[in-house]
Each structure stands twice: as C-alpha cells, then as structure tokens.
C-alpha cells in the first residue's frame, strides 16, 4: 500500500508545509525509543515523558498557526463588512457582485485551513496508534484525557472547531445577505437558476462536518454497518455528494434492509412445522432456512458488481425476485411440494440487495449525515431481525380462499409477498437514480494528486481513545520513499477477483474473518434449530418460540449502545474481543444437554448469553477488521464488506446443513451434535486470537 507518511506529505498545502505536525520525525522517534529500550539505554517512564513533550510542541505549532490564520480571516471579514455597510447608503449592483466574490475567496481560503486541521488530526491519531502498538501501552488514552480536559488545552483547539465555525457562520450570513440584496436588483429572468445556498457555503459546511467526523468519538453501532469511508481527505468540495443524495432513496434502501431481515427470520418459528406438513422431517427446517443463505453467497457478488453501475435497477430486480420467492414459498403448502418450498427460499436469497444498500450509503450519502445513515442501516437490520419472529407469532390463523390455504405456515410468505409488492410500487415512484460521479469538480482549489479512495467505516469511527490492533501494513506502509505515480495508482487499484482479494488478506485479517465465521455459525445454530429443540424438550408452541426469538433480536440495539457508550471507553477493543469470545464459548458449553434433565432456564439463559456475547463480538470484530484491511479492499466489487458478508453467509449455510444432517441421528441428539462444531470453532478462534495478539504486542 502507499505509505501513509508519503500520502500525508503529498496532500499538504505547500505554503503551509512548515506548520504541519512532523509525522516522519515522530515515527522515527518511536522507532528509536523502541531500539533504545530494547538495548536498556532508556526506561519507559522517560520515553512517555519525552514523547508527551514532543507531541505538545507539535500540537502547539499547529494551534498557533491556526489561531494566526483565524485572526487573518477575522480581519478580512471585518473589512468586507465595512464595505457591505457602505453599500446600504449607495447601492451598486456591480459592487455587490464583487463583494460576494470577495467573501467566496475568503471561504475558499478557509476550506484550505479546514483541510489543514483535518490532516493534522489524522496524523496525530496515526502516530498515537503507532506508539500504542509499538509499546503495548495505553498512551493514547492517557494523553487525550489529560490534555483534552485541561483548562489550557491546546488539543481542544484541534477537536473543538468553535473559532472556525464562527468564521464559517460569518461568511455564510454575509453571502446570504448579499444574495438577497442582489436579488432585489435582479430579475428572476436574469438569473433563473439562482441557488438557494452558495456552493462555497455548502463546501465549508461539509468540511466542518468532515472535521467533526475525524475528531469526534462516534457511536459504536455505526461500526457494524461496513460502510466505506475515506481516511485521508482531499481538499475538494463535497457538494457533489449532495447532488447524488436523495432522502427518499436513502429511506428506500433502509426499508429494503428492514424487509429483507424480516423475510429472513419470519420463517424460523414455523419452518419445522411447515416441513412436517409436507411430509419431511422437522430438521429439514435447517435446509429450508439455509437455502436463502446459499443463494445469498452468489447474490452478494453480482449485486456488488451491479451497484458499480446502478442502484435503482438492482433494487427493482431484488423486489421482484423476493416477491416471486415468497409467493412460491406460500404456494408450496397447497402444492405439497418440498422442492417448490426450497426454490422459493432460494429466490428470496437471490434477492438479497444488502450490498447495494451499503454501497448507496457509502457513495451517495453526504459525509455530514453518513454516520446517521450507517446507524440507521444497523438499526433497520436489528429491528427486522426482531420483527420477523414477532410477526410470525401473530400469524396464528387458518382459513382458505378458493384453493389457497392461509395458516401459520403460509402466511409468512403471503405477507412478505404483499410487503415486497408495496415496496416495489413505492420504489418505482420515489427512487431517484444518483447522477454518475464526475472526474473533476469545478470551483475548487485542488492540489492533491491522489484519487479519492474509501476506507471501511470503522477505520475512522473510533479515532483516538480506542487502541486498534496493529496492522502489519503499518510497518511497511509508513515507510517514506520516492514512488512513481504508477506505483501509487497500482496501490489504490481495487482487487479484480475473489482470489486476488484473498491474497491481500494478512494473518490478522484472516483471524478476524475466522471469528466472524464462528459467531455467525453459533448464532445460526441457535436460531435455526430453536423451534425443533424447544418443541422436543419443552413442547413450546409457535407463539412461544416467536416471542423468544423476538426478545433475542431486541437485545441488539441496547447491547450496541452499552458497548459503544461505556464498555469501549473503559477497555481496549482487543480485550473486549477476547472476553466476548470466551463468553460465547461459555454460552455454548452451558447449552449442552448432559446428565440433568434439560430445563427452560438453562436453555434460555445459555442462549441469551451466547447471543448477546456474539452481538458484542460482531461489533468489535468488524471494527478491528476494518483497521487491518488492505486499502485495495476498500472499494470495487471484491471489497472488504463483501468478504465479510461471504464469510458470515457461508457460516450460516454450513450451520443449516449441519442441523439437517444431525437430524438423521434423531432429535434427542440434535442439540449436542450441532453444538459440538460450534464449540470446536470457538476454541480454535480463541487460540488464534491469543496467538495473533501475542505476536503483535
């Protein structure tokens, strides 16, 4: 990958080069510290004190220059305000136009300063991460807390953009005032397409939002959505995003996510009963549920590729296929056909457009609301997971219309078919296809040679307080050197095949994917066999199973809030990761039926422990995964999000097949036989995690 230090240097504004934090020197200093400590020449206490002093000086250099530039802007705006006041006495339309352009020029200079602050904030985060990784010490936590909370904090000047925000507000207000003044002299026929807000103001607001995104400690739940973001910015206006963004289209993508998750889990409480009504064994429910996941393995790839060209057509295709699949699922009862039932579920899997939903948020939602959109994606998934079983519990009826049967087995298919039909009509009426991205954006002072590239959302969302796992690429990727433009372009080129993408996976990434595979396998076993297990041991009704599954689904958002707001601020990600793996393992162990009669409290408590721990593990694991993923996997068809989705989907397929195969041994052995692979995979992932962290730290 292109060295971070090299990219940082390339994107610096040349005339301000002496005022940036010296990332190269600090990186060399960290290496020197490590060598001297190893040789016994320095102790850790001295290193912490000396490096803190060095950081203080670098931040002071940035802050003093920032304050100086703010004073320059204040002086310029003050002079322009005096000219504006004089126009009230002697209005002159040509001078109004000149004054507006002068304010715009100040705004463009301010954009450069906002970019300057953001580059320094990212460089600071990277060097703190490198120090923590090298010494295995929570220096970041100590440094940020002691500096940020001090009454004379200079670090707050970087994090809190009060002064810059005031300058943005002054420019915005005066431009709006001059626009109104100019409008009072010009006819609408002279300027029929006068914008409601000056593009420079849009750019400044986007830059402020982007800076807040880079320096704030954002909500943990956003990390779960695998949305792609850029780590190093380019000094370009971001109103292009606003042109591509359409609120109703975003809402339709979130609705697609919500309905698909309902569609996935609405059949779980009744799948065993449906299988038996068609003359198959109850454990065939594993194949019925898993057929959707099998198809999703393939649909994720072609939807990811399709989203490179369009968003509307994939969503239309998804809705039609899901409508057909659900109708076939419902008709299988009257046709007395297991093949029709399975084909219906396969069609539903072929309509999985989650790759499109993620890609739309990544590509078309402006940065200032991308965090909220990502959180909405996670929330829609969680609510759909809870609503699916709950809805199945409400569909407890039995009647016929002509030759069509409507009961607890078929109604999930009919209800979802109707829902997808309504969604398709809404989609056709309201969705707006985003405009294609342009290679160049006008009216922008641009000096960057690097093309804009994305990084997984989680690489930015916990910028300072959380210690990330070290990515092996840092050791090589931060090396300074003279690379050609061709080499840089090669480093940003996305993977062109699944094989090439796999070759880009480092050992730590493979461990994270193994953990993701494990937790998805364990969760799928718990959910898919719940109706069979509870009916065999406890004689639960469909409604009771539905309530149990709905309660599990409702824990997702509270758990994310708890981890994101509290636990992640106390413990490091790697500590939460390992603890969650151990708790999942404990939940699996407690779920085994050994000697004593199997009881409801044992099943419910062990299942809840396993599910909640897996939810915590998923969020932390995907957060860490994004930080060690190669930049080549941050965009294109074969991206990091696709690899993670495929790993989870394959795990679900294998889990559902295991349930069906275990059914041939009898329902009395089903629980223990399906839990055994979960336990073995979990233990393997724990050992792999410990080994990886021991080598990194």
């Amino acid at each position: 990958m292109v060295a971070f230090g090299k990219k940082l240097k390339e994107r610096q504004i040349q005339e301000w080069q002496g005022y940036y934090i010296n990332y190269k020197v600090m990186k060399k200093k960290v290496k020197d510290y490590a060598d001297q400590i190893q040789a016994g020449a320095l102790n850790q206490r001295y290193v912490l004190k000396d490096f803190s002093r060095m950081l203080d000086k670098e931040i002071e250099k940035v802050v003093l220059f920032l304050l100086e530039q703010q004073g320059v802007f204040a002086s310029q705006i003050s002079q322009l305000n005096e000219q504006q006041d004089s126009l009230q006495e002697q209005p002159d339309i040509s001078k109004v136009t000149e004054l507006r352009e002068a304010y715009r020029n100040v705004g463009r200079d301010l954009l450069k300063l906002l970019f300057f602050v953001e580059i320094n904030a990212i460089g600071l985060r990277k060097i703190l991460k490198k120090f923590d990784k090298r010494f295995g010490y929570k220096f970041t936590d100590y440094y940020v807390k002691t500096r940020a909370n001090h009454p004379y904090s200079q670090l707050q000047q970087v994090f809190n953009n009060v002064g810059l925000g005031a300058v943005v507000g002054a420019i915005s207000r005066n431009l709006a005032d001059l626009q109104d003044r100019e409008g009072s002299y010009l006819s609408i026929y002279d300027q029929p397409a006068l914008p409601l807000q000056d593009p420079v103001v849009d750019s400044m607001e986007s830059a402020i939002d982007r800076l807040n995104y880079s320096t704030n400690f954002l909500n943990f739940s956003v990390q779960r959505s695998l949305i792609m973001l850029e780590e190093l910015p380019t000094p370009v206006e971001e109103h292009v995003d606003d042109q591509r963004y359409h609120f109703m289209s975003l809402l339709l993508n979130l609705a697609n996510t919500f309905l698909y998750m309902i569609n996935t889990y609405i059949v779980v409480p009744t799948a065993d009963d449906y299988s038996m009504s068609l003359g198959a064994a109850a454990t065939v429910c594993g194949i019925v549920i898993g057929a959707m996941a099998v198809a999703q393995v393939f649909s994720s790839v072609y939807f990811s590729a399709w989203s490179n060209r369009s968003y509307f057509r994939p969503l239309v295709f998804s809705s039609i296929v899901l409508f057909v699949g659900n109708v076939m699922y419902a008709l299988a009862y009257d046709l007395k056909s297991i093949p029709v039932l399975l084909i219906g579920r396969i069609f539903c899997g072929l309509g999985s457009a989650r790759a499109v939903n993620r890609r739309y948020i990544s590509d078309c939602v402006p940065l200032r609301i991308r965090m909220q959109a990502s959180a909405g994606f996670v929330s829609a998934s969680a609510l759909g997971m809870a609503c699916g079983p709950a809805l199945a519990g409400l569909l407890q009826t039995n009647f016929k219309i002509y030759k069509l049967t409507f009961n607890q087995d078929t109604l999930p298919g009919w209800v979802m078919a109707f829902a997808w039909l309504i969604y398709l009509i809404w989609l056709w009426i309201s969705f707006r296809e985003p405009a294609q991205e342009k290679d160049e954006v006008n009216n922008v002072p641009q000096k960057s040679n690097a093309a804009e590239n994305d990084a997984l959302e989680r690489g930015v969302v916990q910028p300072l307080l959380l210690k990330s796992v070290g990515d092996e690429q840092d050791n090589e990727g931060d090396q300074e050197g003279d690379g050609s433009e061709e080499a840089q372009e090669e480093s940003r080129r996305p993977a062109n095949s699944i094989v090439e993408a796999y070759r880009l996976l480092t050992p730590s990434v493979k461990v994270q994917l193994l953990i993701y595979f494990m937790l998805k396998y364990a969760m799928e076993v718990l959910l898919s066999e719940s109706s069979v297990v509870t009916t065999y041991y406890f004689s639960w009704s469909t409604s009771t199973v539905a309530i149990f599954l709905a309660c599990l689904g409702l824990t997702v958002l509270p758990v994310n809030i708890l981890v994101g707001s509290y636990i992640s601020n106390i413990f490091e990600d790697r500590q939460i990761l390992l603890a969650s793996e151990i708790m999942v393992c404990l939940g699996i162990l407690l779920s085994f039926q050994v000697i004593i009669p199997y009881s409801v409290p044992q099943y419910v408590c062990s299942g809840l422990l396993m599910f909640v721990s897996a939810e915590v593990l998923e969020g932390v694991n995907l957060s860490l995964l994004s930080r060690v993923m190669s930049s080549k996997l941050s965009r294109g068809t074969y991206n990091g999000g696709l690899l993670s989705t495929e790993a989870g989907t394959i795990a679900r397929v294998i889990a559902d097949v295991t349930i069906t195969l275990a059914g041939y041994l009898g329902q009395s052995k089903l629980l223990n036989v399906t839990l055994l692979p979960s336990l073995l995979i979990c233990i393997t992932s724990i050992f792999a995690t410990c080994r990886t962290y021991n080598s990194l730290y």
Side-chain angles (χ1 to χ4, degrees), residues 291-463:
M292 194 168 177
V294 172
Q296 191 178 343
V297 171
F298 304 98
S299 66
S300 296
V301 177
Y302 66 71
F303 272 117
S304 181
W306 203 349
S307 63
N308 291 328
R309 300 185 298 275
S310 173
Y311 299 96
F312 176 67
R313 289 191 290 273
L315 290 176
V316 170
F317 176 78
S318 167
S319 304
I320 294 173
V321 171
L322 281 158
F323 171 78
V324 173
N326 281 289
V327 169
M328 293 181 70
Y329 181 85
L331 289 175
Y333 187 90
D334 293 305
L335 296 174
K336 301 295 181 184
S337 173
I338 282 284
V340 173
L341 182 72
L342 295 176
I343 292 172
R345 288 293 289 177
I346 289 173
F347 264 71
C348 290
L350 292 174
S352 172
R354 287 171 65 82
V356 180
N357 305 145
R358 288 192 183 103
R359 190 71 176 270
Y360 183 87
I361 295 174
S362 172
D363 292 352
C364 303
V365 176
L367 188 65
R368 64 176 180 271
I369 61 169
R370 197 172 299 165
M371 172 188 161
Q372 293 91 325
S374 302
F377 178 86
V378 175
S379 301
S381 299
L383 291 174
M385 184 179 181
C387 289
L391 186 58
L394 297 175
L395 301 177
Q396 303 300 303
T397 186
N398 193 349
F399 62 92
K400 273 197 169 189
I401 298 179
Y402 297 105
K403 295 183 179 181
L404 298 179
T405 302
F406 296 86
N407 57 23
Q408 66 174 12
D409 298 331
T410 63
L411 276 172
W414 291 120
V415 168
M416 292 312 302
F418 179 75
W420 285 113
L421 181 61
I422 297 299
Y423 175 82
L424 179 60
I425 296 172
W426 180 24
L427 179 73
W428 195 271
I429 295 172
S430 303
F431 191 88
R432 188 176 74 191
E433 184 76 88
Q436 293 296 316
E437 291 187 80
K438 296 180 180 179
D439 293 329
E440 288 184 282
V441 182
N442 296 325
N443 305 320
V444 184
Q446 182 172 329
K447 296 190 178 183
S448 171
N449 295 325
E452 183 176 15
N453 72 310
D454 297 322
L456 282 173
E457 65 165 87
R458 295 187 182 86
V460 189
V461 291
Q462 293 283 7

Side-chain angles (χ1 to χ4, degrees), residues 197-207 238-239 242 368:
Q197 182 163 280
D198 198 287
V200 172
V201 176
D202 287 335
S203 300
M204 290 188 298
E205 291 177 351
S206 296
E238 295 193 17
H239 67 272
D242 291 321
R368 64 176 180 271

Side-chain angles (χ1 to χ4, degrees), residues 127-425:
I127 198 65
L128 286 169
K129 168 190 169 183
K130 181 171 285 294
F131 188 93
D132 281 356
K133 171 189 171 181
R134 179 75 71 157
F135 298 103
Y137 181 78
K138 294 178 66 175
F139 176 76
T140 298
D141 198 354
Y142 156 77
Y143 187 82
V144 172
K145 284 183 177 179
T146 54
R147 268 58 176 178
N149 295 327
H150 196 277
Y152 304 135
S153 169
Q154 292 180 327
L155 198 61
Q156 287 288 2
Q157 289 290 332
V158 180
F159 291 160
N160 293 340
N161 313 307
V162 177
L164 293 173
V167 178
V168 171
I171 296 173
S172 303
R173 181 186 61 79
N174 285 293
L175 277 174
D177 184 53
L178 288 172
Q179 180 170 294
D180 292 340
R181 185 186 301 278
E182 186 174 321
S184 65
Y185 291 95
L186 291 179
S187 165
I188 60 171
Y189 298 105
D190 296 322
Q191 287 191 340
L194 193 66
L196 296 177
Q197 182 163 280
D198 198 287
V200 172
V201 176
D202 287 335
S203 300
M204 290 188 298
E205 291 177 351
S206 296
I208 282 285
D209 290 330
R210 185 186 185 101
L211 184 55
N212 289 333
Y213 198 96
S214 293
T215 56
N216 284 347
F217 310 130
L218 303 180
N219 193 287
F220 176 84
S221 67
V222 179
Q223 299 181 355
R224 298 171 50 91
S225 61
L226 292 170
I227 308 301
M228 319 288 272
L229 294 178
E230 179 188 3
E231 183 170 40
L232 264 179
T234 52
V236 298
E237 297 184 3
E238 295 193 17
H239 67 272
V240 175
D241 279 341
D242 291 321
Q243 295 173 0
R244 305 189 79 207
Y245 171 65
H246 181 230
F247 173 74
M248 189 58 69
S249 300
L250 172 61
L251 192 61
L252 282 160
N253 272 279
L254 297 180
N256 184 281
T257 297
F258 175 70
L259 287 176
Y260 185 78
M261 292 303 290
I262 291 179
N263 213 146
T264 300
Y265 291 99
I266 194 172
V267 305
V268 173
T270 58
D272 60 330
D273 184 67
Y274 203 165
S275 300
M276 289 188 293
S277 68
L278 297 181
T283 51
V284 173
C285 69
I287 293 294
V288 173
I289 296 170
M292 194 168 177
V294 172
Q296 191 178 343
V297 171
F298 304 98
S299 66
S300 296
V301 177
Y302 66 71
F303 272 117
S304 181
W306 203 349
S307 63
N308 291 328
R309 300 185 298 275
S310 173
Y311 299 96
F312 176 67
R313 289 191 290 273
L315 290 176
V316 170
F317 176 78
S318 167
S319 304
I320 294 173
V321 171
L322 281 158
F323 171 78
V324 173
N326 281 289
V327 169
M328 293 181 70
Y329 181 85
L331 289 175
Y333 187 90
D334 293 305
L335 296 174
K336 301 295 181 184
S337 173
I338 282 284
V340 173
L341 182 72
L342 295 176
I343 292 172
R345 288 293 289 177
I346 289 173
F347 264 71
C348 290
L350 292 174
S352 172
R354 287 171 65 82
V356 180
N357 305 145
R358 288 192 183 103
R359 190 71 176 270
Y360 183 87
I361 295 174
S362 172
D363 292 352
C364 303
V365 176
L367 188 65
R368 64 176 180 271
I369 61 169
R370 197 172 299 165
M371 172 188 161
Q372 293 91 325
S374 302
F377 178 86
V378 175
S379 301
S381 299
L383 291 174
M385 184 179 181
C387 289
L391 186 58
L394 297 175
L395 301 177
Q396 303 300 303
T397 186
N398 193 349
F399 62 92
K400 273 197 169 189
I401 298 179
Y402 297 105
K403 295 183 179 181
L404 298 179
T405 302
F406 296 86
N407 57 23
Q408 66 174 12
D409 298 331
T410 63
L411 276 172
W414 291 120
V415 168
M416 292 312 302
F418 179 75
W420 285 113
L421 181 61
I422 297 299
Y423 175 82
L424 179 60
I425 296 172

